[in-house]
Amino acid sequence: MKKIVLSGALLLGAFMSFAQTAALKAKVAQKAQSLESKVVMWRRDFHQNPELSNREFKTSEKVAAHLRSLGIEVQTGVAKTGVVGILKGGKPGPVIALRADMDALPVKERVDIPFASKAMGEYNGQPVSVMHACGHDSHVAILMGTAEILASMKSELKGIVKFIFQPAEEGAPEGEEGGAGLMVKEGVLENPKVDAIFGLHISAQAPVGTIRYRPKGTMAASDWFKIKLKGKQAHGATPWQGIDPIVTASQIVMGLQTIVSRNAPLTESAAVVTVGQINAGVRSNIIPEELNMNGTIRTLDTQVQDMIHARMKQVATNIAESAGAIAEVSITKMCPVTYNDPSLTEKMVPTLEAVAGKENVFLTSAATGAEDFAFYQEKVPGLFFFLGGAPKGKKESETASHHTPDFYIDEGGFVLGMKAMTNLTLDYMEMNAGKVTNSTGK
């Protein structure tokens, strides 16, 4: 009899929990819809007033003021201009981080919209036009809306939410630190210790109303390389009297391309080696003594990454030696692979399907672009997904890509963005209800 009573009590408890969660989700949908015009207004303000990496002063002030107005505990000056909000729910549970990046790019806008950017800034000592040419203005506005929704149901939340508004995703200026790596270094995932993190990126190549995701390697690791070639200067009319670093560099460029085509397991993991800059010489009839080339490496697997690094040094050094030159190769790891935890992804995809409709959630191919959300994922399980921002009916080939002057986002996807981030939070809390994280993060 006691077992029957106990089973009945458990069933009743489960039913009540399900009913409460369903009621919360109905509230989320209603609240997200009511916030749409406000989120659009915020986004347009940020778009018209963009700020470069580590210079997001006004943006962070507006974010912090909004979070404080919601009664959320606010930390400012994190990783220079970052803002962190901490919302403590009324019930015990896990700590979930939600992230949005805030910085714009040195790009001159060509889009004909009333709120187009006319802003100017300074990039590495040069005056430049500034534009939100990657959608970070949308990310900030969506997360501000998400914060307002979750704050409105604070007493019903089963855990803690950390809102991370991050500067310098596009990379800090020369000589400065910044971005997710610095936020992690300064302890953004501690006190209280984060259990899982979610982030989104709006996509100009995916239709409004859709969501794209991928487990495991989603976006590539980004590394930068420099190769300095030392030859021997000579008159351009007598090349046999010197060692030509330009001819040698030409052979090295071609040799580097064979690393991907002949050494990388391309059916398992894509890779890219690109030489983007070569500098040498001062006039047409002098063979220079030195040459510098710079480029980038993109990989989706750490073993492939290590192999390419080793082979690049071997190829450049040996080709240079065969010409009588000397090659000095340096490689800097800039950003790790954006790696979606497979278990977390599997658990949370049903949430994305519930808010967008199963027919609107797609498994996407890996991208060779990089995203410093990866630094958080090195420390805690994370899920990073793509939110559609292209007008419905537009083909991917008809939309301008990110980081270009014609980049354009349809604001019709913002409600879905808020619903996705909010429901991921609620569902993860429900899955881990009762979990209490040590507030010291130890």
Side-chain angles (χ1 to χ4, degrees):
M1 185 67 178
K2 288 182 180 178
K3 289 182 179 179
I4 294 173
V5 172
L6 181 60
S7 297
L10 289 172
L11 286 171
L12 180 61
F15 175 78
M16 289 179 66
S17 178
F18 175 80
Q20 289 169 349
T21 301
L24 276 182
K25 291 189 174 185
K27 184 177 177 181
V28 168
Q30 182 181 18
K31 186 74 173 173
Q33 199 66 53
S34 70
L35 282 172
E36 183 178 24
S37 60
K38 188 188 286 190
V39 171
V40 167
M41 179 188 68
W42 288 331
R43 182 260 167 166
R44 292 184 179 185
D45 180 42
F46 292 134
H47 190 89
Q48 202 163 21
N49 299 283
E51 296 174 295
L52 293 171
S53 302
N54 279 357
R55 306 292 185 270
E56 307 91 340
F57 303 115
K58 292 180 180 178
T59 303
S60 60
E61 284 177 9
K62 292 172 184 176
V63 168
H66 176 64
L67 296 181
R68 289 191 184 101
S69 75
L70 300 173
I72 294 173
E73 178 186 331
V74 176
Q75 301 167 358
T76 58
V78 184
K80 300 189 185 296
T81 54
V83 178
V84 178
I86 299 176
L87 177 63
K88 296 176 181 177
K91 301 172 185 178
V95 180
I96 300 160
L98 305 177
R99 176 271 208 164
D101 38 11
M102 302 189 294
D103 53 330
L105 286 158
V107 174
K108 184 176 177 62
E109 182 156 21
R110 279 199 302 244
V111 185
D112 184 16
I113 49 177
F115 52 94
S117 171
K118 302 291 191 297
M120 297 292 295
E122 183 181 291
Y123 181 71
N124 291 337
Q126 299 295 320
V128 292
S129 297
V130 184
M131 175 192 175
H132 270 295
C134 198
H136 296 185
D137 50 345
S138 302
H139 305 167
V140 176
I142 288 170
L143 191 55
M144 286 170 67
T146 301
E148 187 159 335
I149 295 171
L150 288 168
S152 72
M153 51 185 67
K154 176 180 177 179
S155 63
E156 300 163 280
L157 295 182
K158 299 176 181 179
I160 299 171
V161 186
K162 271 191 179 182
F163 302 96
I164 299 174
F165 291 87
Q166 178 206 307
E169 190 280 326
E170 300 292 355
E174 283 186 23
E176 298 183 24
E177 278 190 280
L182 185 56
M183 294 205 93
V184 171
K185 188 176 176 180
E186 293 190 2
V188 75
L189 299 177
E190 306 295 333
N191 301 319
K193 186 175 179 61
V194 170
D195 294 296
I197 185 167
F198 300 108
L200 62 76
H201 202 302
I202 201 155
S203 172
Q205 276 70 53
V208 162
T210 65
I211 288 175
R212 296 181 180 182
Y213 76 97
R214 183 179 181 82
K216 299 185 178 179
T218 299
M219 297 186 75
S222 171
D223 304 324
W224 290 357
F225 68 85
K226 296 182 178 181
I227 301 175
K228 176 183 253 187
L229 283 175
K230 294 182 178 180
K232 181 181 178 183
Q233 191 161 317
H235 196 294
T238 56
W240 55 86
Q241 293 180 349
I243 298 171
D244 193 336
I246 294 177
V247 171
T248 305
S250 301
Q251 295 172 325
I252 289 174
V253 170
M254 298 309 295
L256 294 178
Q257 299 312 303
T258 65
I259 297 172
V260 172
S261 66
R262 292 297 177 268
N263 301 128
L266 296 180
T267 56
E268 299 171 18
S269 180
V272 174
V273 176
T274 294
V275 177
Q277 186 179 32
I278 297 179
N279 294 310
V282 292
R283 59 179 290 165
S284 59
N285 65 344
I286 299 175
I287 293 171
E289 185 172 325
E290 289 189 355
L291 176 146
N292 293 287
M293 69 171 77
N294 303 324
T296 188
I297 308 159
R298 302 300 170 104
T299 49
L300 288 152
D301 178 273
T302 53
Q303 290 183 331
V304 174
Q305 182 184 37
D306 291 341
M307 179 276 292
I308 288 178
H309 288 193
R311 285 288 289 139
M312 285 185 68
K313 292 175 181 178
Q314 185 180 38
V315 167
T317 301
N318 289 347
I319 289 176
E321 186 178 349
S322 71
I326 297 171
E328 298 175 355
V329 182
S330 62
I331 299 173
T332 304
K333 290 185 175 181
M334 301 300 293
C335 185
V337 175
T338 307
Y339 187 85
N340 282 336
D341 182 88
S343 176
L344 179 67
T345 304
E346 183 181 9
K347 290 175 182 175
M348 305 317 299
V349 165
T351 298
L352 299 178
E353 292 176 341
V355 297
K358 196 169 185 178
E359 70 281 5
N360 294 315
V361 178
F362 303 94
L363 185 65
T364 190
S365 301
T368 49
E371 165 57 67
D372 79 353
F373 188 81
F375 284 103
Y376 305 117
Q377 293 173 308
E378 284 191 317
K379 302 297 183 182
V380 299
L383 172 59
F384 190 75
F385 62 96
F386 301 93
L387 177 71
K392 287 185 178 180
K394 279 269 189 181
K395 295 179 181 178
E396 186 170 327
S397 60
E398 297 174 332
T399 59
S401 64
H402 294 236
H403 290 220
T404 66
D406 302 306
F407 175 77
Y408 173 79
I409 284 297
D410 189 315
E411 297 163 333
F414 291 179
V415 169
L416 177 57
M418 286 186 282
K419 288 166 63 178
M421 292 292 269
T422 306
N423 281 285
L424 285 170
T425 303
L426 295 176
D427 284 353
Y428 187 88
M429 284 181 169
E430 192 61 36
M431 293 174 192
N432 298 274
K435 178 175 179 178
V436 180
T437 300
N438 187 325
S439 62
T440 63
K442 296 179 182 178

